[in-house]
């Protein structure tokens, strides 16, 4: 997958949220109230997180997204600009509020997330038309599934020949075969890969990656948390172990992985080299509270 002609440009089509993070000793049982939580507010959304991670990894990044005509939406645009992410194609709508994610984090660093998509659900294929130039000049397009699938499909159709398509299958939704066939790299965690392939998650990340590649993508990367990441590609399979770290908060680790991966691929790195560094970036994010926007940019530098 190495190409000396890639210039390091990444375009992300995806979501922008505000994350409300509740730190709790334990999650409540049904019908129970837990009253000892602490609240944090962070920038978020898979699209925004991945765009920031790619920018921190040295890529020139544009994002196509939709936020509400409200204070959170304005704040998220400021956040993106502060991270050297191009926001010319962020649509501002009065028809819905900016997306929100409610996240509970337990002391072991694990999270549970509920998203109210808000304006993200209004990002339409028509909103991509003004972004045609950004899509035409990008070396790698990154998409995820917190925006309508029809918009994701259209973005892939507008991608220039030779540009890479990185599809993050999160949160899981069924994907059309045309999108799977166009994907250069499909990234999924174990649960998402199991849902995509119809196999039991207990089959393991390596087997799931191989099964997912048979659905059409040129290569598949399955992330497995502490177990690292598994690659299935035409030249064979590989595993990239994760360093042993103390996880304080896993929020945004997958997005950091995808953004760093796309940045390296946009510069012509091989898939294995890009995955190896993305694993380190993902591991770095779990050592700090909040999503990757709270992690010092130096951790992303290649």
């Amino acid at each position: 997958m190495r190409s000396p002609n890639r210039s390091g440009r990444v375009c992300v089509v995806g979501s922008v949220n505000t994350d409300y993070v509740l730190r709790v000793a334990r999650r409540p049982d049904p019908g129970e109230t837990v009253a000892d939580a602490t609240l944090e507010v962070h920038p978020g959304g898979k699209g925004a997180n991945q765009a920031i991670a790619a920018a921190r990894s040295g890529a020139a990044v544009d994002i196509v997204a939709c936020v509400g005509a409200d204070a959170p939406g304005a704040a998220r645009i400021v956040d993106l600009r502060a991270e050297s992410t191009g926001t010319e194609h962020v649509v501002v709508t009065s028809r819905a509020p900016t997306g929100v994610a409610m996240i509970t984090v337990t002391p072991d660093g694990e999270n549970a997330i509920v998203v109210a998509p808000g304006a993200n659900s209004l990002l339409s294929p028509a909103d991509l038309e003004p972004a045609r130039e950004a899509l035409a000049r990008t070396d790698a397009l990154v998409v995820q599934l917190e925006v309508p699938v029809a918009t994701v499909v259209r973005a892939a159709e507008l991608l220039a020949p030779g540009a890479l398509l990185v599809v993050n299958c999160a949160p899981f939704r069924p994907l059309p075969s045309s999108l799977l066939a166009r994907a250069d790299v499909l990234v999924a965690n174990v649960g998402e890969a199991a849902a995509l392939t119809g196999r039991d998650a207990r089959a393991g990340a390596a087997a799931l990656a191989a099964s997912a590649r048979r659905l059409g993508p040129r290569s598949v990367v399955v992330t497995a948390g502490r177990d690292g990441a598994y690659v299935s590609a035409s030249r064979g399979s590989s595993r990239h172990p994760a360093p042993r770290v103390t996880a304080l908060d896993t929020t945004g680790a997958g997005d950091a992985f995808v953004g760093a991966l796309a940045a390296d691929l946009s510069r012509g790195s091989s898939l294995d080299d890009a995955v190896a560094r993305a694993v380190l970036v993902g591991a770095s994010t779990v050592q700090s509270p909040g999503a990757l926007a709270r992690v010092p940019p130096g951790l992303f530098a290649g």
Side-chain angles (χ1 to χ4, degrees):
M1 193 173 291
R2 176 172 289 278
S3 170
N5 298 319
R6 302 198 187 281
S7 61
R9 298 202 67 89
V10 171
C11 183
V12 177
V13 175
S15 56
V16 175
N17 292 331
T18 300
D19 289 351
Y20 294 89
V21 180
L22 292 167
R23 299 192 176 277
V24 294
R26 64 177 181 84
R27 295 187 182 90
D29 293 326
E32 180 186 16
T33 299
V34 172
D36 62 351
T38 59
L39 174 66
E40 300 169 4
V41 182
H42 300 294
K46 288 187 174 298
N49 288 344
Q50 291 169 6
I52 290 171
R56 289 184 175 185
S57 295
V61 181
D62 293 299
I63 185 169
V64 183
C66 186
V67 300
D70 49 27
R76 300 295 76 82
I77 290 174
V78 170
D79 295 332
L80 288 162
R81 289 174 179 166
E83 296 282 354
S84 301
T85 298
T87 60
E88 178 184 354
H89 303 298
V90 175
V91 178
V92 179
T93 180
S94 59
R95 294 190 292 141
T98 299
V100 168
M102 304 299 295
I103 305 170
T104 58
V105 180
T106 46
D108 60 359
E110 292 300 323
N111 62 54
I113 304 173
V114 177
V115 174
N120 293 309
S121 64
L122 300 181
L123 186 68
S124 72
D127 292 323
L128 299 173
E129 294 304 311
R132 274 179 173 267
E133 182 180 346
L135 289 164
R137 72 188 180 203
T138 195
D139 297 295
L141 170 65
V142 180
V143 295
Q144 350 67 38
L145 305 177
E146 284 187 333
V147 297
V149 172
T151 305
V152 170
V153 170
R154 180 57 177 157
E157 292 172 348
L158 293 174
L159 195 57
L164 297 173
L165 175 61
V166 179
V167 177
N168 181 205
C169 190
F172 176 76
R173 296 188 196 181
L175 295 176
S177 57
S178 61
L179 184 65
L180 290 169
R182 176 62 181 85
D184 293 285
V185 185
L186 177 76
V187 182
N189 64 25
V190 169
E192 293 152 359
L196 178 67
T197 61
R199 298 191 62 180
D200 192 309
R202 289 174 293 184
L208 291 168
S211 293
R213 196 169 73 84
R214 288 193 284 271
L215 297 177
R218 290 169 179 78
S219 59
V220 174
V221 180
V222 174
T223 58
R226 295 180 179 89
D227 204 27
Y230 292 77
V231 175
S232 177
S234 59
R235 48 101 187 111
S237 60
S238 58
R239 177 188 173 227
H240 299 271
R244 295 304 174 202
V245 298
T246 299
L248 298 179
D249 187 349
T250 57
T251 305
D255 297 333
F257 178 98
V258 172
L261 177 75
D264 274 12
L265 293 176
S266 76
R267 292 189 290 264
S269 294
S270 70
L271 180 59
D272 276 323
D273 286 348
V275 170
R277 195 177 75 83
V279 166
L280 297 179
V281 170
S284 295
T285 68
V286 306
Q287 298 176 69
S288 299
L292 70 149
R294 291 283 180 154
V295 177
L299 290 175
F300 290 87

